[in-house]
Amino acid sequence: MRSTQRHDRPDLEQPSARLPVRRAGIDTYRQPVLYLHRDCTVSRAEGFAALTRVSVKCAGQEVVAVLNIVTGDWLGKDEAALSDAAWQMLAPEPGAIAILAHAEPPRAASVLRAKVFGTRLNEAQFEAVLRDALAARLSDIELAAFVTVCAGDRLDLDESVALTRAMISVGDRIDWGSGPVLDKHCVGGLPGNRTTPIVVSIVAALGHRIPKTSSRAITSPAGTADVMATMTDVDLDIGALRNVVDREGGCMASGGRMRLSPADDILIQIERPLDLDGDGQMVASILSKKAAAGSTHVLIDIPVGATAKVRTMAAADAIARRLVFVGEAVGLRIGVHISDGRQPVGRGIGPALEAHDVLEVLRNSPQAPRDLRERALDVAGAVLELLPAIAPGSGRIQAEGALASGAAMRKFIAICMAQGGFREPGRARFVEPFVAPADGQLGCINNRQLARIAKLAGAPRNPTAGVVCTLREGDSIRRGMPLFLVHAGSKGELAYALDYARAHPDTLSLRESRS
């Protein structure tokens, strides 16, 4: 009876369940972690063990943390420490006392188990999982299980709709009023395919609204937000974003500071180390962000190639059908642009290197990568043709005019200035070529391995790091000529990337030249 009264009355917590708390100074990614010494009297009294989920309350705030047991002497027996993530959630005062107790099981635990055993989930069940995730009531292990059981083809069309709606419902939405709001997205997997800054500049220069929010890189060497961050401020809140769009018609911001589908941001952080991005979750991720951002007309670019994210036309068609079905269900008009994903676009792979390519295209430089220019015009034209007033074929013509006249470049600078100012992207300190081992002809380019080399060189963590590759399939190669240039911020990263390239000669495979 006493035990029941103690649990029902938080004010009667036993003194043994209270400990002074301090910051451990340990980055645990996003997982709240509590540290207790193995000889801690509270841990023994409460029956805590490693990986126990513990409720930590302090000054009216609560966080559910996973317990790690400390066997060394850096933590006292009668104190608790919190990881950086847990500390930021609680924000305790110096010398604060924390109340520790076994955490209640998360409400979504039964939903997770049901999905593991093949149950189809509805919107309310998905929402329960997402709300527990946002409240940090689910551990990374539980979230990884959720991501895994939803990967591949484990979500049907109705579940994709339900997950998308749930993602929208647990976040904020922007209302831009009447009239079309344009947007575009590329499913990724193609290094250097940085069309967004060019497309947004063209569309906004032609007088249309295109408030573009983008994510940081998930598994690639650069996301659009990483590229734009080398030239302007991208961490805007919703108020700042509205001001930019009201002033210039478009923006190119990171969604990180906005609660636009915030649950998706958590799932992405789990997907990144697992390198998972299933069709159902990918569609829900894309379209929940677009709907939350107030978009009405969205073009999705799907590059298809043997080493791209989408490898076959059959897979592209399946994703396209899912996108259109889910988009219609949540009130979006979706256009799909299937493009060539066999080889990189532009020359640079990495935030600053891709930014240099973008600027050359916008400045109409004779040295601008032609493939990036043409692809950006194709995508911009397709975005414009989502509008009923623009006839098929005329969108690209309008886009080309805006680019050639310099209007797109002027609009790009204006958007950057509205977001905090424009700056030229930087250059890496160390650059070294990876040379051809023999004469031949360039066969195929492995996009995934080329992107891997760019990441080993430091991208996107170091914005100037990455790879520059000017070659394309069919080009003639002479022994000793550079196949690509590795850009790095340190000699160690440079050597690491080059070692990987030497161990993977099929990154750019050569075949004998035809006589």
Side-chain angles (χ1 to χ4, degrees):
M1 191 67 177
R2 293 174 184 169
S3 175
T4 301
Q5 290 177 340
R6 184 163 60 247
H7 285 292
D8 289 345
R9 295 279 307 279
D11 56 308
L12 297 180
E13 292 278 0
Q14 292 298 307
S16 61
R18 299 172 182 265
L19 286 176
V21 64
R22 65 181 178 88
R23 189 170 190 163
I26 299 175
D27 181 359
T28 54
Y29 198 29
R30 55 164 299 278
Q31 177 73 62
V33 176
L34 168 70
Y35 300 92
L36 295 177
H37 195 274
R38 65 180 173 185
D39 296 326
C40 175
T41 54
V42 165
S43 182
R44 290 180 172 180
E46 297 293 323
F48 294 153
L51 298 186
T52 296
R53 292 163 46 80
V54 180
S55 165
V56 184
K57 296 179 181 178
C58 189
Q61 300 295 318
E62 179 184 15
V63 66
V64 175
V66 173
L67 176 62
N68 281 194
I69 299 297
V70 177
T71 60
D73 58 4
W74 67 267
L75 183 64
K77 297 177 182 179
D78 295 315
E79 64 175 345
L82 296 174
S83 68
D84 288 350
W87 187 267
Q88 289 162 9
M89 291 176 185
L90 280 180
E93 296 291 333
I97 302 296
I99 300 173
L100 310 181
H102 284 276
E104 293 293 328
R107 292 188 294 272
S110 61
V111 177
L112 291 175
R113 285 193 294 271
K115 186 60 184 170
V116 167
F117 289 103
T119 300
R120 294 173 69 253
L121 302 184
N122 59 34
E123 182 179 342
Q125 290 171 312
F126 279 121
E127 186 173 329
V129 173
L130 300 180
R131 290 198 182 279
D132 272 352
L134 287 170
R137 289 190 288 263
L138 294 175
S139 69
D140 281 359
I141 293 174
E142 290 164 318
L143 287 173
F146 176 72
V147 166
T148 302
V149 297
C150 292
D153 58 358
R154 296 179 182 89
L155 294 183
D156 63 23
L157 289 174
D158 289 337
E159 284 183 300
S160 287
V161 172
L163 177 57
T164 305
R165 286 175 171 161
M167 285 184 170
I168 296 168
S169 69
V170 299
D172 296 333
R173 295 190 71 168
I174 301 176
D175 183 358
W176 296 102
S178 61
V181 179
L182 301 176
D183 208 339
K184 59 84 62 178
H185 181 84
C186 178
V187 302
L190 191 58
N193 189 23
R194 201 54 55 208
T195 60
T196 291
I198 304 167
V199 171
V200 170
S201 301
I202 289 171
V203 172
L206 290 168
H208 305 290
R209 283 185 298 183
I210 182 165
K212 183 74 175 75
T213 60
S214 303
S215 63
R216 300 281 183 170
I218 302 174
T219 58
S220 70
T224 297
D226 300 302
V227 173
M228 286 302 303
T230 69
M231 297 180 282
T232 191
D233 298 334
V234 298
D235 294 320
L236 310 181
D237 58 25
I238 289 179
L241 180 142
R242 279 189 175 279
N243 290 337
V244 174
V245 176
D246 288 344
R247 177 172 158 184
E248 300 299 339
C251 68
M252 289 164 277
S254 167
R257 289 186 61 191
M258 307 171 204
R259 277 184 49 85
L260 304 177
S261 190
D264 181 54
D265 296 331
I266 291 175
L267 295 183
I268 284 174
Q269 290 174 337
I270 298 298
E271 291 168 354
R272 183 182 289 118
L274 293 175
D275 199 12
L276 285 176
D277 197 8
D279 289 356
Q281 285 172 294
M282 178 175 68
V283 168
S285 171
I286 295 168
L287 298 187
S288 65
K289 285 266 174 70
K290 300 308 177 188
S295 303
T296 59
H297 297 63
V298 183
L299 183 87
I300 309 296
D301 179 22
I302 306 178
V304 180
T307 58
K309 181 179 289 186
V310 180
R311 301 188 183 188
T312 66
M313 284 301 301
D317 289 340
I319 293 171
R321 287 193 298 271
R322 190 181 292 259
L323 283 162
V324 172
F325 182 90
V326 176
E328 182 177 333
V330 299
L332 299 175
R333 180 178 177 185
I334 302 296
V336 176
H337 177 74
I338 296 178
S339 56
D340 184 355
R342 292 174 298 171
Q343 52 192 339
V345 179
R347 293 186 286 262
I349 303 170
L353 296 171
E354 294 177 31
H356 286 296
D357 284 351
V358 164
L359 290 173
E360 286 191 348
V361 171
L362 286 169
R363 287 166 171 160
N364 291 298
S365 167
Q367 288 77 42
R370 182 172 180 80
D371 58 349
L372 178 61
R373 181 183 188 277
E374 293 303 308
R375 187 177 291 252
L377 289 172
D378 287 343
V379 172
V383 170
L384 293 168
E385 289 173 19
L386 291 173
L387 298 170
I390 297 183
S394 65
R396 196 184 193 283
I397 295 171
Q398 291 186 30
E400 191 163 6
L403 181 62
S405 68
M409 181 61 195
R410 292 191 293 273
K411 178 57 69 175
F412 177 81
I413 294 296
I415 290 173
C416 288
M417 296 305 294
Q419 290 187 195
F422 171 75
R423 55 185 173 271
E424 292 286 339
R427 299 281 185 182
R429 183 179 177 189
F430 300 98
V431 181
E432 188 170 324
F434 180 76
V435 300
D439 294 350
Q441 191 175 48
L442 184 57
C444 63
I445 299 175
N446 189 315
N447 291 311
R448 291 171 183 259
Q449 289 181 187
L450 201 59
R452 175 67 173 162
I453 293 167
K455 289 194 287 184
L456 290 172
R461 183 186 65 261
N462 179 341
T464 63
V467 167
V468 171
C469 180
T470 61
L471 299 174
R472 293 296 179 262
E473 292 180 5
D475 287 352
S476 295
I477 307 295
R478 300 298 300 271
R479 180 181 179 183
M481 73 176 285
L483 293 176
F484 51 84
L485 299 173
V486 178
H487 292 236
S490 71
K491 289 183 178 179
E493 288 171 317
L494 182 68
Y496 199 14
L498 289 169
D499 285 347
Y500 180 89
R502 294 185 192 99
H504 295 80
D506 59 332
T507 301
L508 273 69
S509 60
L510 302 182
R511 57 175 179 255
E512 278 190 42
S513 298
R514 296 175 182 175
S515 57

